[in-house]
Amino acid sequence: MNVKEIVSAIKTDKPEIASVYFVGCGASQADLYPGKYFLDANAKKLRASLHTANEFYYSTPAGVGPDSIVVACSLSGGTPETVAAAQKATELGAEVISVTIDENSPLAAAGKYQIIHGFAKDYAAKMEKMTNVLALSCEILNTYEGYAHYEDMQDGFSKIYDLINDSVKTLMPRAQAFGKAYKDMPMLYVMSSGATAMVAYSFSMFLMMEMQWVASSSFNCGEFFHGPFEMVEKDVPYLLLMNDGPTRPMDARAMTFLQRFDTKLTVVDAKDFGLSSVIRSSVVEYFNPILLCGVLRMYAEQLSLERNHPLTMRRYMWKLEY
């Protein structure tokens, strides 16, 4: 079933929905954030929240019940914590939607509905999880409350994958330069804002700490001047993800400060890839994380090559009981 069919079926069974809970672990949790951000920005009645799966299981929000939708996400569909969270949500009467690449996985079986997405084909395919969840949020909002820019969102969904794949065709020199310049860095700060805030978190936590064993921290550009800017010094490595849309002034303010003190700064800017020339201004902010996360994969790949440290290398994951 596609997202429209899923939400239509839920609406038939549940004419009223009060809340949408997004549940996952690691990068999958981060990929849920744009959908949650979209509902926060546009829903007048629907409540939305984002939870790491184990916390959702052990400290389940009191509002989870028959008037809830729970979106549970795991790339493989086998993450035990997410499967347990989905099963608990089902027990509480929520409408559970599983998001995974494997229709035969435990997570798929734990959900009443399934969104099965791709991943391996190309850089755009790696964004299918995030994009499908954003599309689901848009469909939920339009079905239960109405949404004035629904058609603009649908137009964006029809174009964003081509934009990612077109962008990476010209990106190699910049990605290689990042890899060469940052290969010996002891740590990396990653920053963004708005719908892209959790892309910065994901790049820091998983592509850097998990996959490269590089110490890293991330923060929202809106928080930069409320503490983290005290760490700014010459040649300290920063990666800034700049949005095209209403939170861009926050990113620009942070960039100006980082340049002022000669940090080792790389900026990945959605405007450089022509996002607003493809996506309508009414909805452009919601597509920033899809585009920026899509192209960032190349930066991580080139860094891993320069460091001779494959993205698949692990010290503990998949090797120990924990």
Side-chain angles (χ1 to χ4, degrees):
M1 298 174 74
N2 60 37
V3 296
K4 193 174 186 68
E5 292 168 337
I6 290 171
V7 177
S8 177
I10 293 173
K11 177 70 170 176
T12 298
D13 292 339
K14 303 284 180 70
E16 298 296 331
I17 288 290
S19 53
V20 182
Y21 297 89
F22 297 93
V23 179
C25 298
S28 287
Q29 184 195 185
D31 285 346
L32 294 167
Y33 183 72
K36 187 260 187 188
Y37 182 92
F38 172 85
L39 286 177
D40 282 346
N42 294 287
K44 296 180 175 64
K45 296 181 180 178
L46 282 167
R47 302 191 308 272
S49 57
L50 177 68
H51 305 264
T52 189
N54 230 15
E55 191 166 82
F56 182 90
Y57 179 82
Y58 284 112
S59 183
T60 310
V64 178
D67 63 350
S68 304
I69 294 173
V70 173
V71 184
C73 184
S74 163
L75 181 65
S76 68
T79 307
E81 297 92 337
T82 308
V83 174
Q87 291 170 338
K88 186 161 192 177
T90 297
E91 292 169 6
L92 293 170
E95 299 286 325
V96 178
I97 303 170
S98 298
V99 184
T100 178
I101 62 170
D102 185 357
E103 62 184 355
N104 298 312
S105 65
L107 181 61
K112 184 176 180 179
Y113 304 98
Q114 296 78 33
I115 295 175
I116 307 300
H117 60 85
F119 185 78
K121 180 182 177 182
D122 52 31
Y123 289 96
K126 289 175 172 47
M127 294 299 101
E128 287 187 22
K129 179 177 24 170
M130 184 187 292
T131 307
N132 273 285
V133 172
L134 178 60
L136 176 65
S137 292
C138 182
E139 202 65 44
I140 291 170
L141 179 65
N142 193 56
T143 298
Y144 282 95
E145 292 190 19
Y147 178 50
H149 303 300
Y150 178 81
E151 294 302 330
D152 291 351
M153 288 290 289
Q154 302 312 305
D155 184 67
F157 291 130
S158 73
K159 295 174 178 177
I160 191 62
Y161 292 149
D162 285 344
L163 180 60
I164 293 170
N165 283 331
D166 288 345
S167 297
V168 297
K169 291 175 184 176
T170 64
L171 191 59
M172 185 59 76
R174 279 184 278 179
Q176 289 176 329
F178 174 83
K180 292 180 186 301
Y182 286 70
K183 64 183 177 67
D184 296 320
M185 63 182 174
M187 59 80 61
L188 177 67
Y189 293 114
V190 191
M191 305 167 57
S192 194
S193 66
T196 311
M198 287 288 280
V199 175
Y201 167 83
S202 183
F203 192 89
S204 173
M205 286 280 286
F206 311 115
L207 284 162
M208 291 297 98
M209 295 181 73
E210 175 190 336
M211 300 183 190
Q212 288 298 289
W213 306 349
V214 170
S216 185
S217 180
S218 69
F219 38 87
N220 192 304
C221 290
E223 286 289 275
F224 182 54
F225 294 101
H226 303 278
F229 76 142
E230 287 293 341
M231 297 299 293
V232 170
E233 294 182 279
K234 180 179 172 59
D235 294 330
V236 172
Y238 283 84
L239 175 62
L240 172 62
L241 314 178
M242 289 196 71
N243 291 274
D244 187 348
T247 66
R248 186 177 180 85
M250 296 162 57
D251 304 332
R253 182 187 178 200
M255 180 178 68
T256 299
F257 192 87
L258 292 168
Q259 291 172 333
R260 176 179 170 185
F261 290 95
D262 295 324
T263 61
K264 190 172 188 175
L265 173 64
T266 291
V267 177
V268 183
D269 190 342
K271 277 187 177 291
D272 288 345
F273 304 105
L275 184 64
S276 57
S277 67
V278 173
I279 307 296
R280 293 169 186 167
S281 60
S282 58
V283 298
V284 69
E285 69 172 310
Y286 309 119
F287 289 89
N288 281 291
I290 301 172
L291 172 62
L292 290 171
C293 191
V295 301
L296 273 176
R297 186 79 182 190
M298 286 193 72
Y299 284 78
E301 289 172 350
Q302 293 306 308
L303 179 66
S304 73
L305 290 173
E306 290 293 334
R307 299 183 72 245
N308 194 29
H309 186 121
L311 294 175
T312 53
M313 186 182 293
R314 300 293 185 275
R315 181 182 286 126
Y316 306 121
M317 189 176 287
W318 310 314
K319 295 182 177 181
L320 301 176
E321 292 293 327
Y322 49 86

